[in-house]
Amino acid sequence: MNRTTPSSRYAGLSRRELAAVVPELLLIGQLIDRSGMAWCISAFGREEMARIAIEEWAASSPIYTRRMQRALGYAPEVPGKGDVPTIFKGLQLDIGAPPQFMDFRYTVHDRWHGEFHLDHCGALMDVEPMGDDYVRSMCHDIEDPTFDATAVATNPKAQVRPIHRPPRRPSDRHPHCAWTVTIDESHPDVQGIPLLADNERSRAANLELAPIDPADDGRADYSGPLLSDLDFAAFSRSALVRIADEVCLQMHLLDRAFALAVAERAADAGELLRIRRKQLVGIAGIAAERLARALDLPADANGAARLLAVHPVFNPAAYVDADITTAPEGAGIALRPSPAHDDGAWISLCGPGWTTALRAVVRTVDPRLDVEVTGTDEEWRLAVVHREQPVPEPDEVAVVRFSSGTGFTFEPRRPLPITPV
């Protein structure tokens, strides 16, 4: 029986398993919006949904981009003076640009000039059937400020500008979009939005995680040349553990910014809670489904407990304080107050009074699995239990299935160094 909390819950996975889980986590982060924005459209309309999306990404991506730069050793030597390859490396490890689903292809002219285009944009495939107004909201209204907001983490003089972008004319235009990235001292500094300062004070933004062990077998950092694709199997086990934890923090920072943006528009605390819980249920169920499949987890209570241990709701371990037990006599969780509760993160929405998201997770292993939760809002125990009848899939999960990302399959890629042309 294992009742101890490791420095990272991902430390229990093998290097091969981690190499499969990391791209899954990046894609799961992208799908958070497929879950949350549906309810924002319903509550506030398309235009306000677009403003919420701008604010959530602009108030989170600069924070987590810098965190990943520091973790993997490719941060600019002088803060704020990074180059185009550094910006592109950040995109490869960003939940806003999960590999292959958002298939960024990069060109570097020199340190200060580059381009990228998308051979496949999964987000466009999701939105295009909804019509040109929704495409413009995503590819114009949202992308213009959020691309610059992401680049500002590396250099406030960076500008990301379109060569062409959707709506596609003709309708099968390829690549889906293309952009230039230019860093020039004559450019005005990009400024962070007010919500960014709020998010920078969060526990997630300032959380310390265990450093990568440079002696571990495999790649310990992302110094050196920009690569066309990241081969996660080339990273060391220690590096993959850190990347997985950082990607989960990206999700929490994005969700916190989402909550801040929705709070400014919600009629009251009740509406804010309702929208946040609907977003959580949808992404919790889809994330569980993809992770369970990637790890080939057994269809029993122990498999459900192992799934909970790697689910973003419960990670990183330094952020969400819980003991997760896998044992024949009882699989479950003992949760305690943690930094995640201080931030009002996903786990703070769950507890004895509301178990829908937790049920959505365990039922993906076996539809007859359920949870029983006892205790208080911040300190509770969860037991995985078996029901005679299947637990139905929540409607919120069905909403996220609208995205092609829910069934997306990664393929092997050969990474090649990108040099100036």
Side-chain angles (χ1 to χ4, degrees), residues 46-354:
R46 176 180 57 80
E47 291 183 358
E48 283 302 309
M49 174 277 296
R51 294 187 183 98
I52 291 169
I54 292 168
E55 291 173 16
E56 66 163 353
W57 289 100
S60 58
S61 65
I63 302 170
Y64 64 63
T65 297
R66 293 188 188 104
R67 286 191 60 98
M68 193 68 82
Q69 288 175 350
R70 294 191 296 268
L72 290 182
Y74 63 94
E77 290 185 10
V78 179
K81 297 295 183 180
D83 56 13
V84 166
T86 303
I87 293 173
F88 290 167
K89 287 181 179 182
L91 287 172
Q92 292 176 319
L93 292 156
D94 190 320
I95 58 175
Q100 301 183 27
F101 183 68
M102 306 288 287
D103 199 7
F104 282 66
R105 303 289 89 195
Y106 301 102
T107 299
V108 177
H109 298 296
D110 57 45
R111 289 187 63 195
W112 315 115
H113 301 84
E115 298 176 14
F116 64 82
H117 66 266
L118 268 69
D119 272 351
H120 173 81
C121 178
L124 177 64
M125 298 297 96
D126 292 348
V127 173
E128 218 168 34
M130 300 169 68
D132 283 358
D133 286 345
Y134 280 91
V135 171
R136 287 192 185 92
S137 287
M138 181 178 74
C139 300
H140 294 243
D141 301 340
I142 297 172
E143 294 292 20
D144 282 351
T146 55
F147 270 144
D148 278 356
T150 298
V152 75
T154 301
N155 195 315
K157 300 292 186 180
Q159 290 186 353
V160 183
R161 297 295 180 264
I163 300 170
H164 70 82
R165 55 178 162 179
R168 291 193 286 170
R169 301 290 186 269
S171 61
D172 61 349
R173 185 172 189 174
H174 192 86
H176 290 167
C177 65
W179 302 74
T180 62
V181 182
T182 305
I183 298 173
D184 193 305
E185 285 300 315
S186 68
H187 292 165
D189 285 3
V190 177
Q191 301 296 323
I193 67 171
L195 290 184
L196 173 61
D198 191 325
N199 219 11
E200 286 175 330
R201 293 189 292 269
S202 68
R203 298 292 299 275
N206 298 285
L207 192 73
E208 291 190 16
L209 296 173
I212 295 168
D213 180 0
D216 201 4
D217 186 33
R219 185 168 191 163
D221 58 39
Y222 194 8
S223 60
L226 170 71
L227 300 174
S228 58
D229 297 275
L230 286 185
D231 176 11
F232 290 106
F235 283 94
S236 70
R237 187 166 170 271
S238 175
L240 289 168
V241 166
R242 178 61 184 268
I243 294 170
D245 278 340
E246 289 288 351
V247 174
C248 287
L249 278 181
Q250 291 188 17
M251 297 187 218
H252 291 300
L253 286 161
L254 183 73
D255 175 63
R256 189 171 188 275
F258 174 80
L260 292 170
V262 172
E264 293 187 348
R265 294 161 174 86
D268 52 35
E271 184 176 39
L272 172 62
L273 181 62
R274 178 181 63 82
I275 292 172
R276 291 198 66 205
R277 280 179 166 171
K278 284 182 175 294
Q279 178 239 49
L280 173 55
V281 173
I283 193 59
I286 292 299
E289 186 176 283
R290 290 198 62 95
L291 289 169
R293 184 166 59 240
L295 292 171
D296 193 23
L297 295 176
D300 57 22
N302 284 334
R306 288 177 59 192
L307 177 58
L308 289 165
V310 298
H311 198 284
V313 168
F314 289 95
N315 285 285
Y319 192 57
V320 183
D321 187 0
D323 293 332
I324 299 179
T325 305
T326 58
E329 63 268 27
I333 297 171
L335 184 95
R336 293 174 291 274
S338 64
H341 288 91
D342 296 338
D343 281 352
W346 279 328
I347 196 64
S348 71
L349 305 179
C350 305
W354 189 76

Side-chain angles (χ1 to χ4, degrees), residues 353-375:
W354 189 76
T355 61
T356 309
L358 302 171
R359 298 176 78 204
V361 172
V362 301
R363 71 165 304 281
T364 62
V365 171
D366 180 337
R368 293 168 298 176
L369 292 179
D370 199 354
V371 299
E372 291 181 350
V373 181
T374 58

